[in-house]
Amino acid sequence: MQDTLTKLKNRDKEIQLLSHTIALLGWDQETCIPEKSVNERAEQISLVEGLIHDRVTSEDTGELFSLLGADERNPAGAPGLSGNDAAFIREFYRIYKKRMKLPKELVTEFAKVTSLAQAKWAEARSKSEFGIFAPLLERIVDLTRKKADCMGYSLDPYDPLLDDFEPWMKNSELASIFGKLEPELSALAVRIAEKSGRVAPVAVDGEFDERKQREISESIMKMMGFDFGSGRIDVSAHPFTATLGSKDVRITTRYITSDPVSNVYSTIHETGHALYEQGFGDELYGTLLANGASMGLHESQSRLWENMIGRSRGFSARILSLLKDAFPAEFANVTPGDFYTRMINRVKPSFIRTESDEVTYNLHIILRYNLETRLVRGELAVADLPAAWKAESRKLLGIEPSNDSDGALQDIHWSFGSIGYFPTYALGNLYSAQFYAKLVEDVPDADGESGSFADDTIADILCWLREKIHSRGCTLTAADLCGKVTDAPLDPNFFMCYLERKYGDIYGL
Amino acid sequence: MQDTLTKLKNRDKEIQLLSHTIALLGWDQETCIPEKSVNERAEQISLVEGLIHDRVTSEDTGELFSLLGADERNPAGAPGLSGNDAAFIREFYRIYKKRMKLPKELVTEFAKVTSLAQAKWAEARSKSEFGIFAPLLERIVDLTRKKADCMGYSLDPYDPLLDDFEPWMKNSELASIFGKLEPELSALAVRIAEKSGRVAPVAVDGEFDERKQREISESIMKMMGFDFGSGRIDVSAHPFTATLGSKDVRITTRYITSDPVSNVYSTIHETGHALYEQGFGDELYGTLLANGASMGLHESQSRLWENMIGRSRGFSARILSLLKDAFPAEFANVTPGDFYTRMINRVKPSFIRTESDEVTYNLHIILRYNLETRLVRGELAVADLPAAWKAESRKLLGIEPSNDSDGALQDIHWSFGSIGYFPTYALGNLYSAQFYAKLVEDVPDADGESGSFADDTIADILCWLREKIHSRGCTLTAADLCGKVTDAPLDPNFFMCYLERKYGDIYGL
């Protein structure tokens, strides 16, 4: 048994080394690559992806799982395996099983169509012409439905798709969470809208030097505990976090010279992701268990730092000092109160998800979720998507975009074929609030309203996250981890309470 | 036949994609990697190297060669194959044959020992204690001799080693070239030394801003015709050129704040390498023929730009203007004549190869060649190397280093196991002078003494190099290419004539 397990671990080690190599190929593509090399880079990535696929699905991988007693009924292998070993088999077998069910032609076809689709989506969006993207999106929806059919499901074709990003969660659970969340969020948004006059926006004017913005990013990362010995920060068009090795976690940002606050919160967000990746237990080094428990869990780590901590009174006062040090003239008249209330926590329905506030953000997600589940079930035709988007937007946000660039063409995700991804953003917000409530019990100074955010407190917060969440990697499923950390299953009520308290105060509800 | 060839080409394509992936892993290691990730990076590289090895040596690669009629007697396959196809088989079969002869244990052992040796070499060098490095160098020499035995040779164990870097050249030819070169070079060096009082050194003082140095690098690269759409420049401890894709050629440099001239000539040198890589014919795209004909040929392209062009009166006057524009105060009193004679073309025997001038450089190489051939033949024990180095240095350069850091521990190459590499530096110098003589016949304005180096002339030079050399990749062997371009076999006389003319003028010989 131990021998077989070692063989499976060696197989996994190769896969992890190759996955990190793909991460480097991808990171370099977003940060460094010369323009003429993009097509060949796609070939390099696709070749290495094929090597991973071969290793996951090879006959002897299957034999190893048989020998370990892993099957549909015992996804974590035969009884008697210890915690991390069982978790290792559970996660590896989950991936193996899904990959085995996908015919190689479908995988190749999917890769081809989505690679074409990205360029078409960009063109369609820039021209705001949905028709340019529609034929490819039809192919993508069609292939996604085929994928779901191949992977199999008992109730809902959305289940295996969601599982790609939020392992082990079923759509029935998600639907029930969103069903509870939506009316409460909408009601809160309406109450805030009625008081919107209370909070007039404040903006800063000027040309904010990139070098100084970069220094602010680095100060924040150091303050949060990012280890520059095993990571770095670079620039890309869209910020992201990439793991190129067990000790190589890189974030990116972009510096907008007219707006130094954008980079600040993007850096906090990505550093939140990066701290998770830098915090996996040493015993998980180089294995598939050195991964986030789910995309939602991962997002909870970025959002907890970005919103619960980063947009709190105490922490945002520290951010403001950094901004005042770097740009004294421009921020001279901004008080901590103004910064908190009128710059970083204003609530205002907008068309664009990435620019939206904490209150309306999840409504943007529910909008996309409502549409993509209907697409997958064949209840909505791609041709009808733009109109359906507008209708959902009016229903959920009370506003309707005038063009498709701000509507059905807004996000890149569907062009990647990432159907089932959007909900993890909302789950991240919900998890973050639930973790945060527990964190404040254990580390009272982490409280957003009254807490101190001295260096010691920040260190205590990271320490708590490391112990309770980061160090565990994906040894526990997201649901088990949530239960273990908070003594409760995922419950949107934590998030609503957090919002009620914070925005009740700001808007005098 | 065509079918078989296509299969072999597909195999090669995978190998090229993987080789470029390794180039990215290596480039990133020298330019970006966080310190704690270095060990895991070595594992990533070694895994991908193993994948290439498997592809080169797999049984069906061998079958493809049989079907194509390639064997020891017909290394370019059966008669009837066209030029590039025959060249493709010739180069692939050469690599295949050598790899097949090396037992995997020897390859692994070699990789392990050299990986340890690099750290030990660095330690030994910093302490100037040869004893720290000696045991590992003994292992390396031993394994290298085994490698040579496995690969096989008819006369000289140095032949298969040299062939790794200078394909198709035999040591008998090299020995005869060096035998002719050495006395003539030594005699010239002595004549110059007698006149050394004629040329007093000039130096600039100051703190030279890195950003401005970088701008100078970019100006020079643009001036030389480097395509930034398929390449870039970064910083690393030791400058190098790397090819990460057919359209992705990157150079590195280092900015010494006390010496802006160092970066300038390093940039010209690496850009010379990069222009070769950017100039391979489109029909060679993504194949193994999109490679330099040999390391010597590659070095000829860097040295031609660095020395024949870059250190000429005309071109160096342009360089000086760039330096004066960036650092007007510091370079105020430097005339073009001073820059040419007293800063960039002074001849002075030194201990260090990388700091040596055009006249003595090849003597440094002959020194290393004399020692490494004796090591390989078992005529010199590693323990006796430091003393032998000093003796050779006195004989060839007339000076003797007082410590091993400046002697037998000077270069990193042997710690990599790169025995057979050094001669390619000297070959590069010889090829460059021979090509240059022909270039000046066809493009008279490229003449160093009297030519103009206007943008048009530089474009003409690149055009000539592209047509005669770059576009051909390694479709021709280095010897055939030299014959085709210059109507003569490699002859050190071209190099000696170049030196006599240039330094005869400077030193009034």
Side-chain angles (χ1 to χ4, degrees):
Chain A
M1 190 79 130
Q2 213 48 49
D3 238 32
T4 313
L5 197 55
T6 302
K7 277 183 196 156
L8 197 64
K9 285 181 179 175
N10 289 339
R11 173 57 46 103
D12 173 51
K13 188 175 179 187
E14 274 192 24
I15 294 169
Q16 297 310 311
L17 289 171
L18 291 172
S19 300
H20 289 154
T21 301
I22 288 185
L24 170 61
L25 289 161
W27 171 86
D28 182 79
Q29 181 171 328
E30 301 304 322
T31 55
C32 294
I33 207 172
E35 50 176 330
K36 293 182 192 167
S37 191
V38 172
N39 289 339
E40 201 175 17
R41 178 56 51 87
E43 290 189 78
Q44 293 163 352
I45 290 174
S46 138
L47 175 66
V48 183
E49 266 172 356
L51 295 172
I52 292 177
H53 184 85
D54 294 345
R55 272 153 189 75
V56 174
T57 59
S58 81
E59 219 170 291
D60 56 316
T61 307
E63 280 161 19
L64 294 173
F65 281 122
S66 300
L67 289 168
L68 290 164
D71 54 32
E72 299 272 343
R73 280 207 272 166
N74 299 294
L81 284 158
S82 88
N84 279 2
D85 284 345
F88 171 74
I89 295 172
R90 182 195 76 219
E91 285 305 311
F92 202 162
Y93 187 65
R94 184 180 68 81
I95 295 159
Y96 165 78
K97 219 175 47 184
K98 291 181 82 169
R99 288 247 195 186
M100 285 304 285
K101 288 178 178 168
L102 288 181
K104 195 150 188 175
E105 313 83 73
L106 185 53
V107 174
T108 318
E109 176 75 2
F110 199 78
K112 210 183 296 169
V113 172
T114 52
S115 137
L116 290 171
Q118 286 160 48
K120 283 289 174 193
W121 167 80
E123 188 194 339
R125 191 188 179 198
S126 78
K127 296 182 180 161
S128 202
E129 262 185 56
F130 187 72
I132 295 172
F133 180 49
L136 282 152
L137 184 56
E138 269 168 26
R139 299 275 303 122
I140 288 171
V141 170
D142 185 46
L143 290 168
T144 301
R145 297 178 65 186
K146 282 200 180 117
K147 267 177 68 174
D149 287 345
C150 289
M151 293 190 284
Y153 52 89
S154 51
L155 285 171
D156 192 330
Y158 197 70
D159 277 345
L161 304 174
L162 180 63
D163 185 85
D164 274 350
F165 308 104
E166 199 63 23
W168 310 104
M169 181 175 257
K170 296 285 176 233
N171 188 33
S172 53
E173 190 188 344
L174 184 62
S176 126
I177 290 168
F178 282 179
K180 196 172 160 202
L181 183 65
E182 186 202 313
E184 295 186 18
L185 264 187
S186 294
L188 177 61
V190 168
R191 283 158 61 215
I192 291 174
E194 285 161 2
K195 297 282 184 73
S196 64
R198 271 179 71 109
V199 180
V202 162
V204 283
D205 261 347
E207 184 80 14
F208 298 90
D209 181 59
E210 289 200 21
R211 235 184 224 205
K212 285 188 182 167
Q213 290 202 49
R214 190 189 159 107
E215 281 165 18
I216 293 175
S217 289
E218 287 172 359
S219 299
I220 293 172
M221 292 165 78
K222 273 178 204 144
M223 189 161 96
M224 289 170 65
F226 182 90
D227 174 10
F228 279 93
S230 60
R232 47 183 287 140
I233 177 169
D234 295 275
V235 170
S236 66
H238 301 282
F240 66 93
T241 301
T243 297
L244 289 69
S246 309
K247 301 282 172 201
D248 189 354
V249 180
R250 307 186 186 182
I251 73 165
T252 69
T253 186
R254 64 183 153 190
Y255 303 111
I256 303 172
T257 50
S258 61
D259 174 12
V261 179
S262 165
N263 161 57
V264 161
Y265 282 92
S266 173
T267 296
I268 298 175
H269 180 97
E270 299 304 334
T271 304
H273 280 302
L275 290 174
Y276 194 3
E277 295 282 322
Q278 288 190 335
F280 299 134
D282 284 341
E283 73 282 10
L284 313 180
Y285 183 95
T287 76
L288 58 72
L289 293 174
N291 263 304
S294 73
M295 296 301 292
L297 234 300
H298 228 302
E299 191 73 4
S300 80
Q301 297 310 293
S302 55
R303 296 294 260 179
L304 189 146
W305 283 103
E306 179 192 354
N307 289 337
M308 280 86 205
I309 295 170
R311 291 182 205 273
S312 70
R313 284 198 190 273
F315 199 90
S316 67
R318 291 198 65 173
I319 296 295
L320 181 62
S321 324
L322 289 173
L323 288 165
K324 279 178 182 276
D325 287 348
F327 309 110
E330 294 83 348
F331 279 87
N333 298 321
V334 180
T335 66
D338 281 347
F339 187 63
Y340 176 78
T341 310
R342 300 165 67 187
M343 285 185 77
I344 61 169
N345 285 310
R346 266 188 87 237
V347 177
K348 193 175 185 327
S350 75
F351 302 126
I352 309 296
R353 173 182 62 84
T354 56
E355 294 167 8
S356 66
D357 55 81
E358 287 184 272
V359 176
T360 55
Y361 188 94
N362 284 344
L363 295 170
H364 286 268
I365 299 304
I366 291 172
L367 180 159
R368 287 151 179 78
Y369 166 78
N370 289 344
L371 297 175
E372 71 180 17
T373 46
R374 287 164 61 196
L375 286 170
V376 165
R377 292 193 194 112
E379 297 164 5
L380 174 66
V382 165
D384 299 329
L385 187 63
W389 185 291
K390 287 182 182 173
E392 282 287 324
S393 181
R394 166 132 327 265
K395 191 183 98 191
L396 289 163
L397 297 161
I399 54 175
E400 192 178 281
S402 60
N403 61 58
D404 292 338
S405 288
D406 290 345
L409 291 170
Q410 187 182 130
D411 294 302
I412 198 173
H413 302 59
W414 288 336
S415 78
F416 286 139
S418 293
I419 294 178
Y421 187 102
F422 281 120
T424 69
Y425 287 129
L427 291 170
N429 289 325
L430 305 188
Y431 277 125
S432 69
Q434 191 157 340
F435 290 141
Y436 183 63
K438 189 72 184 174
L439 167 67
V440 169
E441 279 179 30
D442 294 347
V443 183
D445 272 347
D447 180 65
E449 292 302 292
S450 56
S452 97
F453 283 90
D455 289 341
D456 281 357
T457 305
I458 298 173
D460 288 345
I461 294 171
L462 180 57
C463 191
W464 187 92
L465 293 169
R466 283 271 146 92
E467 182 199 331
K468 308 280 180 185
I469 299 169
H470 301 176
S471 61
R472 286 169 159 151
C474 59
T475 57
L476 298 175
T477 66
D480 287 350
L481 185 61
C482 179
K484 199 129 187 167
V485 175
T486 69
D487 302 315
L490 180 60
D491 179 351
N493 204 37
F494 289 96
F495 182 67
M496 288 312 303
C497 286
Y498 160 76
L499 291 184
E500 286 283 352
R501 179 180 172 211
K502 177 170 179 178
Y503 292 94
D505 174 52
I506 295 176
Y507 283 90
L509 302 181
Chain B
M1 190 80 129
Q2 213 49 48
D3 238 31
T4 312
L5 197 56
T6 302
K7 278 185 196 155
L8 197 65
K9 285 182 180 175
N10 289 340
R11 172 58 46 105
D12 173 52
K13 187 175 178 182
E14 275 193 23
I15 294 169
Q16 298 310 311
L17 289 171
L18 292 171
S19 301
H20 289 154
T21 301
I22 289 185
L24 170 61
L25 290 161
W27 171 86
D28 183 78
Q29 180 171 328
E30 301 304 322
T31 56
C32 294
I33 207 170
E35 50 176 329
K36 293 183 191 169
S37 192
V38 172
N39 289 340
E40 200 175 19
R41 178 56 52 85
E43 290 190 80
Q44 294 163 351
I45 290 174
S46 138
L47 175 66
V48 183
E49 266 171 0
L51 295 172
I52 291 177
H53 185 83
D54 294 345
R55 273 153 188 75
V56 173
T57 60
S58 83
E59 216 171 293
D60 56 316
T61 307
E63 280 160 20
L64 294 174
F65 281 122
S66 300
L67 288 167
L68 290 164
D71 54 32
E72 299 271 343
R73 280 207 273 167
N74 299 293
L81 283 158
S82 87
N84 279 3
D85 285 343
F88 171 74
I89 296 173
R90 182 195 74 219
E91 285 306 311
F92 202 163
Y93 187 65
R94 184 180 67 82
I95 296 160
Y96 165 78
K97 218 176 48 187
K98 291 181 84 168
R99 287 246 195 187
M100 286 303 286
K101 289 178 177 168
L102 288 180
K104 196 151 188 174
E105 312 85 74
L106 184 54
V107 173
T108 318
E109 175 76 2
F110 198 78
K112 210 182 298 169
V113 172
T114 52
S115 138
L116 291 170
Q118 286 160 49
K120 283 289 173 193
W121 166 80
E123 188 195 339
R125 192 189 178 196
S126 77
K127 296 182 181 161
S128 200
E129 262 186 55
F130 187 72
I132 296 172
F133 180 49
L136 282 152
L137 185 56
E138 269 166 26
R139 298 275 303 122
I140 288 172
V141 170
D142 186 45
L143 290 168
T144 301
R145 296 177 66 187
K146 280 198 182 120
K147 268 178 68 175
D149 286 346
C150 290
M151 293 191 283
Y153 52 88
S154 50
L155 285 172
D156 192 330
Y158 196 71
D159 277 345
L161 304 173
L162 179 63
D163 184 85
D164 274 351
F165 307 104
E166 199 63 24
W168 309 103
M169 181 175 257
K170 297 285 176 232
N171 187 33
S172 53
E173 190 188 344
L174 185 61
S176 124
I177 290 169
F178 282 179
K180 197 172 159 200
L181 184 65
E182 187 201 312
E184 294 185 18
L185 263 186
S186 295
L188 177 61
V190 169
R191 283 160 61 215
I192 291 175
E194 286 161 3
K195 297 282 185 76
S196 65
R198 271 181 71 110
V199 179
V202 163
V204 283
D205 262 347
E207 184 79 12
F208 298 91
D209 181 60
E210 290 200 20
R211 231 183 228 206
K212 285 188 184 168
Q213 289 201 49
R214 191 190 158 107
E215 282 165 17
I216 292 175
S217 289
E218 287 172 358
S219 300
I220 293 172
M221 291 164 78
K222 273 180 203 141
M223 191 161 96
M224 289 170 65
F226 182 89
D227 175 8
F228 279 93
S230 59
R232 46 184 286 141
I233 177 169
D234 295 274
V235 170
S236 67
H238 300 282
F240 65 93
T241 300
T243 297
L244 289 69
S246 309
K247 301 282 172 198
D248 189 353
V249 180
R250 306 184 187 184
I251 73 165
T252 69
T253 187
R254 64 182 153 190
Y255 302 111
I256 303 172
T257 50
S258 62
D259 174 12
V261 179
S262 165
N263 161 59
V264 162
Y265 283 92
S266 174
T267 296
I268 299 174
H269 180 98
E270 299 305 332
T271 303
H273 280 302
L275 291 174
Y276 194 4
E277 294 282 320
Q278 288 189 334
F280 299 135
D282 284 340
E283 73 282 10
L284 312 181
Y285 182 95
T287 76
L288 58 72
L289 293 175
N291 265 302
S294 73
M295 296 301 292
L297 233 300
H298 228 303
E299 191 73 5
S300 80
Q301 297 309 294
S302 56
R303 296 296 260 180
L304 188 144
W305 283 103
E306 180 193 353
N307 289 337
M308 279 86 205
I309 295 170
R311 291 183 206 272
S312 69
R313 285 198 188 275
F315 199 90
S316 67
R318 291 199 64 172
I319 297 294
L320 181 62
S321 326
L322 290 173
L323 288 164
K324 279 176 183 276
D325 287 347
F327 308 110
E330 292 84 347
F331 278 88
N333 298 320
V334 180
T335 66
D338 281 347
F339 188 64
Y340 175 79
T341 310
R342 300 165 67 187
M343 286 186 76
I344 61 168
N345 284 309
R346 265 187 87 237
V347 177
K348 193 175 187 326
S350 75
F351 302 125
I352 309 298
R353 173 183 62 85
T354 56
E355 294 167 7
S356 66
D357 55 80
E358 287 183 273
V359 176
T360 55
Y361 188 93
N362 284 344
L363 295 170
H364 286 268
I365 298 306
I366 292 173
L367 180 160
R368 287 151 179 79
Y369 166 79
N370 289 344
L371 298 174
E372 71 179 16
T373 46
R374 286 164 62 197
L375 286 170
V376 165
R377 291 192 196 112
E379 298 163 5
L380 174 67
V382 166
D384 300 329
L385 187 63
W389 185 290
K390 286 181 183 173
E392 282 287 323
S393 182
R394 168 135 322 269
K395 190 183 100 191
L396 289 163
L397 298 160
I399 53 176
E400 190 178 296
S402 59
N403 61 59
D404 291 338
S405 287
D406 291 346
L409 291 169
Q410 187 181 128
D411 295 300
I412 198 172
H413 303 59
W414 288 335
S415 79
F416 285 138
S418 293
I419 294 177
Y421 187 101
F422 280 121
T424 70
Y425 287 130
L427 291 171
N429 289 325
L430 304 188
Y431 277 125
S432 69
Q434 190 158 339
F435 290 142
Y436 183 62
K438 189 72 186 175
L439 167 67
V440 169
E441 278 178 30
D442 294 347
V443 183
D445 272 347
D447 180 64
E449 293 300 292
S450 56
S452 96
F453 283 90
D455 288 342
D456 281 357
T457 305
I458 298 173
D460 288 345
I461 294 171
L462 180 57
C463 190
W464 189 91
L465 292 170
R466 283 270 145 93
E467 183 200 331
K468 307 280 181 185
I469 299 170
H470 301 177
S471 61
R472 285 170 162 151
C474 59
T475 57
L476 297 175
T477 65
D480 287 349
L481 185 59
C482 180
K484 199 129 183 169
V485 175
T486 68
D487 302 315
L490 180 60
D491 180 350
N493 204 38
F494 289 97
F495 182 66
M496 288 311 304
C497 286
Y498 160 76
L499 291 185
E500 286 282 353
R501 180 181 171 209
K502 179 171 179 178
Y503 292 93
D505 173 52
I506 294 176
Y507 283 89
L509 304 181

